[in-house]
Amino acid sequence: MNKDSKIYIAGHLGLVGSALVKCLQKKGYSNLVYRTHSELDLVNTNEVALFFKQEQPEYVFLAAAKVGGIISNNKYRADFIYENLMIQNNIIHQSYLTKIKKMLFLGSTCIYPKNAPQPLKEEYLLTDILEYTNEPYAIAKIAGIKMCESYNIQYGTNFMSVMPTNLYGPNDNFDLEKSHVLPALIRKIHLGKALENNDWETIRKDLTLLPIGGINGDAEDKVIENVLQSYGIIKTNDQVVVEIWGSGNPMREFLWSEDMAEACVFLMENRNFSDCFNKGNEIRNTHLNIGSGLDISIADLANKIKKEVNFNGNFSFNTNIPDGTYKKLTDVSKINALGWNYSVTIERGINEIYKWYKNR
């Protein structure tokens, strides 16, 4: 990519897309193109076709997706598979029709089977059944990988696919119903600390920025206490307890979103589809894992956040909420061999995201 190449970032306002925009701008890329959802509905085939015809981007980062945590994935199954398939189909096909030079499709490590060996190697794709709770989303992402792969084989396009592990960072989703585990824990423990200190100014500011259960910072104290309790932030006498979904035992890998963006831009600058697989009769498993290669239990993660926030209360574990896959650690040897490694530790990342959350 040249510094003046026209680069389209689909999903530029999200966790992934905003990190990509920041990374590209930092590196001096000046011709970036993006649209908000109100300006361009990526589910609408005609709108996407018109956009590509008018803008004629040279490079595409496909970071747009409908995403959510374990509850929303399981609850809105039809929405997750339909919207993600449509977004992918539209952008990948139009990228082919308008002859872009290179595209990077971003998926997720939930594509791997529920009981796949650990760490997760790229070749484990499609070797067993998926985790049930996020199966529709995973199937959509697998379809995206295979679509990129198939267009490359049939049409000679240069479409790469990357599967980031659990990401966190600036512009993350802190909605307690829809967020992933790390931002949800940051917010719940932050609110638990404020409740512990009877710091109603902080609590009201938080709910004003992002209401919980339809309740904002203008509500009465008792109403706010009730909605916090319904989401597992409970004060009894002088003791605050924060509820954590599941047993706390599952192991998860986390990657700072700006590390992920660095990996993606590195690949677009230095690598091609042909670098992503072993040459042979069958071209398979051409995607690349992006991660740290290190994992941590949910309970240990919560305790690291507790230390960062300086929360003195306790945790309770709601085992009525499913844990999901017990362990999900990526094998990152493939992308490491291509020249990229992560840099931000989980401790540094928690410190950075908590500062960002408080100052947003």
Side-chain angles (χ1 to χ4, degrees):
M1 295 189 298
N2 298 318
K3 299 304 181 184
D4 60 351
S5 297
K6 182 175 270 192
I7 303 169
Y8 171 46
I9 303 98
H12 73 286
L13 293 177
L15 170 66
V16 173
S18 62
L20 287 168
V21 170
K22 182 177 179 180
C23 181
L24 288 163
Q25 290 175 336
K26 183 179 177 182
K27 288 177 174 288
Y29 291 96
S30 58
N31 194 4
L32 307 183
V33 180
Y34 30 77
R35 295 288 187 276
T36 63
H37 178 71
S38 62
E39 293 170 327
L40 174 62
D41 181 2
L42 296 176
V43 174
N44 186 305
T45 302
N46 292 331
E47 287 189 27
V48 176
L50 180 61
F51 168 79
F52 270 81
K53 182 178 179 181
Q54 292 176 338
E55 291 293 338
Q56 296 286 316
E58 298 172 80
Y59 297 90
V60 173
F61 288 88
L62 206 180
K66 182 177 180 64
V67 298
I70 189 171
I71 300 299
S72 57
N73 266 276
N74 199 30
K75 184 176 181 181
Y76 305 109
R77 300 176 73 86
D79 295 345
F80 272 85
I81 193 166
Y82 172 73
E83 292 183 33
N84 283 301
L85 284 172
M86 290 301 293
I87 290 167
Q88 297 163 193
N89 291 348
N90 289 335
I91 293 178
I92 293 170
H93 190 61
Q94 290 303 320
S95 294
Y96 153 66
L97 291 177
T98 55
K99 297 180 171 56
I100 68 155
K101 294 177 180 178
K102 195 184 296 186
M103 182 185 67
L104 192 75
F105 167 69
L106 287 101
S108 164
T109 53
C110 71
I111 61 167
Y112 293 111
K114 177 178 181 178
N115 297 314
Q118 300 289 322
L120 298 165
K121 297 178 182 290
E122 285 86 353
E123 61 258 35
Y124 297 160
L125 180 66
L126 296 175
T127 57
D128 205 341
I129 62 171
L130 299 164
E131 161 62 34
Y132 180 76
T133 54
N134 63 5
E135 185 179 63
Y137 178 79
I139 287 173
K141 290 302 179 181
I142 293 169
I145 295 170
K146 290 301 178 183
M147 194 170 181
C148 290
E149 195 173 86
S150 299
Y151 274 59
N152 290 337
I153 294 169
Q154 183 173 344
Y155 297 124
T157 50
N158 194 4
F159 299 163
M160 293 184 288
S161 299
V162 293
M163 302 297 119
T165 189
N166 300 293
L167 300 173
Y168 68 104
N171 298 309
D172 214 332
N173 179 6
F174 289 86
D175 183 315
L176 292 182
E177 181 184 1
K178 300 176 182 177
S179 63
H180 290 115
V181 61
L182 194 149
L185 288 174
I186 289 279
R187 188 179 189 195
K188 289 174 77 168
I189 295 170
H190 171 72
L191 286 168
K193 175 63 177 178
L195 194 61
E196 184 176 68
N197 292 341
N198 289 314
D199 182 359
W200 285 94
E201 181 181 352
T202 293
I203 293 170
R204 291 182 183 282
K205 177 187 174 183
D206 186 276
L207 270 67
T208 297
L209 288 170
L210 183 59
I212 299 176
I215 303 301
N216 63 29
D218 295 329
E220 296 178 357
D221 291 2
K222 190 62 179 177
V223 174
I224 292 176
E225 283 185 0
N226 288 339
V227 76
L228 292 180
Q229 183 169 333
S230 70
Y231 280 85
I233 306 159
I234 305 159
K235 185 171 186 177
T236 305
N237 298 322
D238 293 326
Q239 180 69 52
V240 175
V241 175
V242 170
E243 179 186 87
I244 297 173
W245 289 352
S247 68
N249 295 322
M251 304 294 292
R252 289 292 180 269
E253 176 185 13
F254 297 94
L255 183 69
W256 184 243
S257 60
E258 294 173 3
D259 263 356
M260 175 279 311
E262 290 281 351
C264 292
V265 175
F266 167 81
L267 290 170
M268 288 286 270
E269 289 177 330
N270 300 287
R271 298 291 181 258
N272 297 294
F273 173 70
S274 58
D275 298 315
C276 300
F277 60 93
N278 296 321
K279 308 305 183 286
N281 293 329
E282 292 185 342
I283 298 175
R284 296 177 180 272
N285 305 317
T286 57
H287 56 289
L288 300 169
N289 293 333
I290 301 181
S292 65
L294 303 170
D295 59 4
I296 184 174
S297 74
I298 300 301
D300 286 345
L301 174 68
N303 281 312
K304 286 184 181 296
I305 295 170
K306 178 180 181 179
K307 181 179 179 181
E308 177 66 35
V309 176
N310 196 26
F311 173 57
N312 297 310
N314 294 318
F315 296 135
S316 66
F317 295 89
N318 184 351
T319 55
N320 292 320
I321 303 292
D323 276 334
T325 305
Y326 176 72
K327 187 176 177 71
K328 199 170 73 170
L329 178 66
T330 58
D331 184 314
V332 290
S333 57
K334 194 172 172 182
I335 193 169
N336 290 167
L338 291 175
W340 178 85
N341 286 275
Y342 89 105
S343 62
V344 178
T345 64
I346 188 67
E347 292 82 7
R348 178 183 159 196
I350 289 171
N351 175 265
E352 291 292 331
I353 190 58
Y354 188 49
K355 285 192 296 187
W356 180 89
Y357 183 75
K358 288 189 295 182
N359 296 324
R360 72 200 191 286

